[in-house]
Amino acid sequence: MENILILPGDGIGPEVMGEVTRIIDWFGTHKGFEVSIDHDLVGGCAYDAHGAAISDAAMEKALAADAVLLGAVGGPQWDNVDYAARPEAGLLRLRADLELFANLRPAICFSALAEASSLKRDLVEGLDILIVRELTGGVYFGEPRGITDLGNGQRRGVNTQVYETYEIERITRVAADIAMKRTKKLASSEKRNVMESGQLWFEEVNRVIAADYPEIELQHVLADNCAMQLVRQPKQYDVLVTDNLFGDILSDVAAMLTGSLGMLPSASLGAPDAATGRARALYEPVHGSAPDIAGQGKANPIASIMSFAMALKYTFDRGADADLLERAVMQVLDKGFRTGDIMQPDMQLVGTSAMGDAVLQALDELGS
Ligand code: NAD
């Protein structure tokens, strides 16, 4: 029996996660996916209930779960809450306590939505790349950091880009293991031309791939060139591994190739457990809590549904079920169903639950 913790969060989180729950049930009924589902609070709703963005009890459940599925956190009503108790602090604690060091951000362009991209259709149609971003090291966490007063009317701001061998090695292994299940093509991005940490990144990635992944075709690309290549010819990449800072930027560039925020899933993974081989994992849509449309039944649940597809693939080793779910979403889009955020002329405008209904119907047609 698998064990999933759902943390719907705030705003549209509960609405989109409601649809995900129905999809999980479908896989239970039709595909023998035996799962026990628990729910808890995270974000502003947890602060209102417990005075903290995630309670210790919810954290314990997260640590015990095979996978955590999260909706979104935040909203204007918590803007003045102390930084340590802010809704986002719940996310940060989850990432830290689960030791999630690898962030997986796929950029998939469904042909039905290719017009929504800011690039020409032929550049993005069929795009399917995966950016693997290091999440717990680099310049966002390095010491020393801070702002000091130099006493002469000047101030100095410092952040430190720092990586150690083990951090580069483990993120490289996550990316390489995934690349082995895809096209066996891996690109790695840094700026070794101007940064020693980039030179180390380059050398360690080379070492790990040469030692343990001889079948992988490895390519290195400087991060600035990579940003350019992603908008020039994005389909040249399959899996791309990079550090925290460059990954932050490059994954947002890649995201926008696909058009809409309501379509983008993500996963964050920790180290594989020595006994089970299974990594701690958090799956969540890239979008936020969308307070402007919360409670109106308008939210697009596809990013959350696609995040569950990632859980099927990466945690539960059910690649065929993940493919089925992706094909169901594709069919729904091909049939012309659209939530407001991806609406196009002559298409059928639907709300959150009708989009969930359409995906379930497509699953019935494709997979029963
Ligand atoms: P947002 O992603 O919530 O919304 C940006 C725009 O996209 C809005 O117009 C929204 O209506 C639309 N949108 C987003 N997701 C959608 C969906 N599934 N379906 C249809 N439309 C969708 O970003 P924001 O407005 O900058 O932030 C709102 C709140 O969310 C803030 O409190 C922010 O801190 C928080 N936030 C949380 C996360 C997270 O939980 N991981 C991420 C980003 C922002």
Side-chain angles (χ1 to χ4, degrees), residues 163-301:
Y163 272 107
E164 296 183 14
T165 299
Y166 78 96
E167 296 173 289
I168 304 169
E169 175 163 346
R170 65 185 184 178
I171 192 78
T172 303
R173 289 191 187 282
V174 169
D177 287 339
I178 293 170
M180 287 300 290
K181 293 185 189 160
R182 292 169 55 112
T183 62
K184 300 187 180 166
K185 269 179 63 185
L186 178 63
S188 169
S189 190
E190 30 59 24
K191 275 187 71 73
R192 67 184 178 281
N193 52 339
V194 286
M195 297 168 78
E196 283 77 3
S197 57
Q199 180 64 27
L200 183 75
W201 184 280
F202 170 82
E203 290 172 11
E204 296 298 335
V205 171
N206 271 341
R207 180 182 59 77
V208 172
I209 298 300
D212 293 332
Y213 301 91
E215 288 171 62
I216 283 187
E217 183 192 323
L218 175 64
Q219 174 198 359
H220 297 277
V221 55
L222 295 176
D224 49 342
N225 184 26
C226 189
M228 208 158 64
Q229 296 300 329
L230 275 174
V231 289
R232 193 182 74 91
Q233 208 177 53
K235 283 189 255 181
Q236 69 183 290
Y237 297 121
D238 188 53
V239 180
L240 176 66
V241 63
T242 187
D243 76 8
N244 203 345
L245 171 65
F246 297 136
D248 194 0
I249 297 164
L250 295 174
S251 60
D252 271 14
V253 172
M256 275 304 102
L257 301 174
T258 69
S260 166
L261 207 51
M263 301 291 298
L264 296 168
S266 81
S268 301
L269 306 179
D273 181 88
T276 64
R278 195 172 265 187
R280 292 235 169 88
L282 172 73
Y283 297 89
E284 57 181 322
V286 168
H287 63 71
S289 58
D292 52 332
I293 57 164
Q296 300 172 32
K298 291 180 179 169
N300 185 351

Side-chain angles (χ1 to χ4, degrees), residues 303-350:
S304 296
I305 291 172
M306 295 289 282
S307 299
F308 172 59
M310 292 184 80
L312 286 171
K313 193 181 294 182
Y314 295 116
T315 293
F316 299 114
D317 215 11
R318 287 176 163 260
D321 286 344
D323 290 347
L324 172 65
L325 184 49
E326 285 174 15
R327 278 189 289 120
V329 167
M330 225 175 288
Q331 175 169 311
V332 164
L333 296 172
D334 285 342
K335 281 189 173 169
F337 292 102
R338 298 285 187 275
T339 42
D341 57 314
I342 51 172
M343 187 56 191
Q344 294 163 308
D346 304 324
M347 299 291 154
Q348 186 182 342
L349 182 64
V350 294

Side-chain angles (χ1 to χ4, degrees), residues 17-275:
M17 294 316 287
E19 301 313 309
V20 172
T21 309
R22 297 168 72 206
I23 306 278
I24 298 174
D25 289 345
W26 188 94
F27 279 94
T29 307
H30 296 90
K31 297 289 169 189
F33 181 50
E34 288 187 19
V35 60
S36 129
I37 301 177
D38 202 350
H39 286 81
D40 215 310
L41 304 176
V42 68
C45 58
Y47 174 77
D48 290 345
H50 307 297
I54 186 162
S55 68
D56 291 343
M59 248 342 287
E60 265 172 42
K61 288 184 195 170
L63 285 162
D66 293 303
V68 179
L69 308 185
L70 187 136
V73 299
Q77 60 270 55
W78 298 288
D79 277 354
N80 296 321
V81 171
D82 258 11
Y83 191 74
R86 281 257 176 106
E88 293 74 14
L91 267 184
L92 295 180
R93 178 161 180 208
L94 277 165
R95 286 180 190 150
D97 288 11
L98 296 175
E99 297 177 63
L100 306 174
F101 64 84
N103 185 222
L104 277 47
R105 291 264 301 257
I108 298 170
C109 185
F110 297 100
S111 49
L113 295 182
E115 298 304 333
S117 170
S118 47
L119 297 193
K120 295 187 196 103
R121 172 179 276 276
D122 61 311
L123 287 180
V124 291
E125 192 168 15
L127 177 78
D128 180 2
I129 59 182
L130 179 73
I131 298 198
V132 180
R133 167 188 170 195
E134 202 288 326
L135 202 56
T136 54
V139 73
Y140 294 161
F141 297 96
E143 298 283 347
R145 62 183 298 158
I147 299 176
T148 47
D149 197 329
L150 299 179
N152 56 355
Q154 299 288 304
R155 296 189 299 159
R156 176 187 288 139
V158 175
N159 292 92
T160 304
Q161 166 84 339
V162 51
Y163 272 107
E164 296 183 14
T165 299
Y166 78 96
E167 296 173 289
I168 304 169
E169 175 163 346
R170 65 185 184 178
I171 192 78
T172 303
R173 289 191 187 282
V174 169
D177 287 339
I178 293 170
M180 287 300 290
K181 293 185 189 160
R182 292 169 55 112
T183 62
K184 300 187 180 166
K185 269 179 63 185
L186 178 63
S188 169
S189 190
E190 30 59 24
K191 275 187 71 73
R192 67 184 178 281
N193 52 339
V194 286
M195 297 168 78
E196 283 77 3
S197 57
Q199 180 64 27
L200 183 75
W201 184 280
F202 170 82
E203 290 172 11
E204 296 298 335
V205 171
N206 271 341
R207 180 182 59 77
V208 172
I209 298 300
D212 293 332
Y213 301 91
E215 288 171 62
I216 283 187
E217 183 192 323
L218 175 64
Q219 174 198 359
H220 297 277
V221 55
L222 295 176
D224 49 342
N225 184 26
C226 189
M228 208 158 64
Q229 296 300 329
L230 275 174
V231 289
R232 193 182 74 91
Q233 208 177 53
K235 283 189 255 181
Q236 69 183 290
Y237 297 121
D238 188 53
V239 180
L240 176 66
V241 63
T242 187
D243 76 8
N244 203 345
L245 171 65
F246 297 136
D248 194 0
I249 297 164
L250 295 174
S251 60
D252 271 14
V253 172
M256 275 304 102
L257 301 174
T258 69
S260 166
L261 207 51
M263 301 291 298
L264 296 168
S266 81
S268 301
L269 306 179
D273 181 88

